[in-house]
Amino acid sequence: MVVLVVATTSDAASATPAAAFLAMPGWAPGPTIPDGVESFGNGGEVRLLRHARGIVEEDDLDLRWEAATGERVTEVVLLSRHTAVSNRPALTVHPIGVPHLREGVDVPPQGGRPGWAALPNPRIGPWLRLLRRIAADRGLVPEFEITLEGTHHGPVTNTPTLFVEIGSTEEYWGRQDAADAVALLLWKGLGLGEEESVGNWHGNGEKVLLGIGGGHYAPRHMDIVTKDGVWVGHLLSGYSLPMEEPKQPNGKNVADVGGMWKHSIKVSYEATKAAFPGGEIIAHIDQKSFKGWQKNAITSYLQELSIRVGKPNDFF
């Protein structure tokens, strides 16, 4: 059983931390699998895969690795650039998927499969907190914002997945100090040093946050996730919950509200539940990001799915 860390040489924010990671002890060249994907191994469980195409374009790398090598993949970590209108330097972590897009109608702008949500990697919450500590220790804070992002983009994967990104402009994508921080996150997070790996899920009934609503950087969910011990599943920002306001003034129950929002919630909940076996999935709603009719419809639908809605204190 192996963990795949995936990088592309076409992106400095991917290639630079991958090179810094490979500069650490214990690496050896591994096989090159079809389509020019080269690999490196460290110990019995970690593989770094490197290719030359866009990071969101390489679907099913986990299945392709298994077919080529016979090694079962347990999780995927992808390294990439982050862009933002603010241009603020940032280090981000997030789950992936495009559950709000319509199959046969919408074309994902950044990979993935319409209506699909990947299994979120249980390391997302613990690694965000570890990354915040590493960045602070290395003097990257406050220059860099260390944050979650909402669920978005591809590529398609079949095992628990997370992205780690460096943003937000070309000036920062190749920054060596940021790349070194990401490499150290991988080193510590995957337990390649003397310490145990970070973010191992044991399924002892622990609580897992399913974020509903808010902006792309999930500020109200972040307020919870920065506390130790909080696990994170999918984070559905407002754009991942397209809702059509009913034409009738009083027609604002679940059945009257069109759009892909219900599908987005359902598949994201199912993926989160599958990624955290034995856990209790609790929805946290960014109340201020919704109009009253939207909040009522979402709450009613969560009740239909028997998904508990929690307040911040319910996660500790």
Side-chain angles (χ1 to χ4, degrees):
M1 296 190 293
V2 299
V3 177
L4 298 186
V5 179
V6 182
T8 173
T9 57
S10 67
D11 175 4
S14 183
T16 312
F21 192 34
L22 286 172
M24 294 176 168
W27 291 99
T32 297
I33 68 171
D35 299 320
V37 180
E38 62 177 343
S39 72
F40 305 85
N42 195 316
E45 297 181 356
V46 179
R47 306 287 181 265
L48 189 146
L49 274 55
R50 192 163 59 185
H51 59 76
R53 292 168 290 280
I55 199 74
V56 301
E57 299 171 8
E58 287 294 295
D59 290 342
D60 301 318
L61 258 180
D62 46 1
L63 296 184
R64 288 155 56 194
W65 180 261
E66 289 182 356
T69 67
E71 293 184 334
R72 177 172 171 263
V73 177
T74 58
E75 60 185 286
V76 178
V77 178
L78 297 111
L79 308 178
S80 181
R81 73 176 63 178
H82 168 68
T83 58
V85 175
S86 68
N87 292 335
R88 181 177 178 182
L91 298 174
T92 76
V93 180
H94 69 84
I96 65 170
V98 284
H100 61 294
L101 298 184
R102 297 164 296 173
E103 186 176 1
V105 177
D106 298 319
V107 177
Q110 294 179 299
R113 185 171 60 240
W116 158 87
L119 298 174
N121 193 316
R123 299 190 195 275
I124 292 170
W127 277 26
L128 173 74
R129 296 187 289 272
L130 175 59
L131 183 57
R132 285 165 62 94
R133 293 193 295 271
I134 290 171
D137 290 345
R138 292 182 163 241
L140 293 173
V141 177
E143 180 185 13
F144 280 76
E145 180 180 18
I146 317 302
T147 186
L148 292 168
E149 293 183 75
T151 297
H152 68 301
H153 69 61
V156 174
T157 61
N158 307 274
T159 45
T161 300
L162 67 85
F163 258 74
V164 181
E165 300 184 353
I166 300 175
S168 297
T169 64
E170 187 174 358
E171 177 184 357
Y172 300 102
W173 293 332
R175 273 266 296 256
Q176 192 62 53
D177 52 356
D180 290 342
V182 171
L184 186 58
L185 171 70
L186 297 169
W187 183 262
K188 288 180 172 288
L190 295 174
L192 292 177
E194 296 179 355
E195 301 173 1
E196 185 179 350
S197 60
V198 176
N200 297 307
W201 174 253
H202 298 298
N204 296 323
E206 294 168 278
K207 300 170 182 177
V208 182
L209 182 148
L210 173 67
I212 306 290
H216 183 68
Y217 299 100
R220 293 189 176 87
H221 307 314
M222 274 283 292
D223 290 342
I224 299 172
V225 177
T226 54
K227 306 295 191 303
D228 285 343
V230 179
W231 300 90
V232 183
H234 275 291
L235 300 164
L236 298 177
S237 300
Y239 61 79
S240 293
L241 297 164
M243 305 179 78
E244 299 169 2
E245 185 171 6
K247 296 179 180 179
Q248 298 298 323
N250 297 322
K252 295 182 179 178
N253 58 37
V254 172
D256 295 325
V257 179
M260 283 289 286
W261 64 280
K262 286 187 288 185
H263 177 85
S264 188
I265 290 174
K266 186 173 187 293
V267 298
S268 297
Y269 166 71
E270 290 172 347
T272 300
K273 187 175 181 181
F276 291 89
E280 180 186 7
I281 314 303
I282 303 176
H284 179 255
I285 301 175
D286 185 335
Q287 304 279 351
K288 295 183 179 180
S289 68
F290 294 111
K291 296 177 181 178
W293 65 269
Q294 293 173 313
K295 186 165 57 178
N296 291 339
I298 288 170
T299 301
S300 296
Y301 186 59
L302 291 171
Q303 290 175 345
E304 284 185 17
L305 297 179
S306 299
I307 301 173
R308 176 185 170 191
V309 176
K311 296 181 179 179
N313 288 338
D314 293 326
F315 293 90
F316 308 117

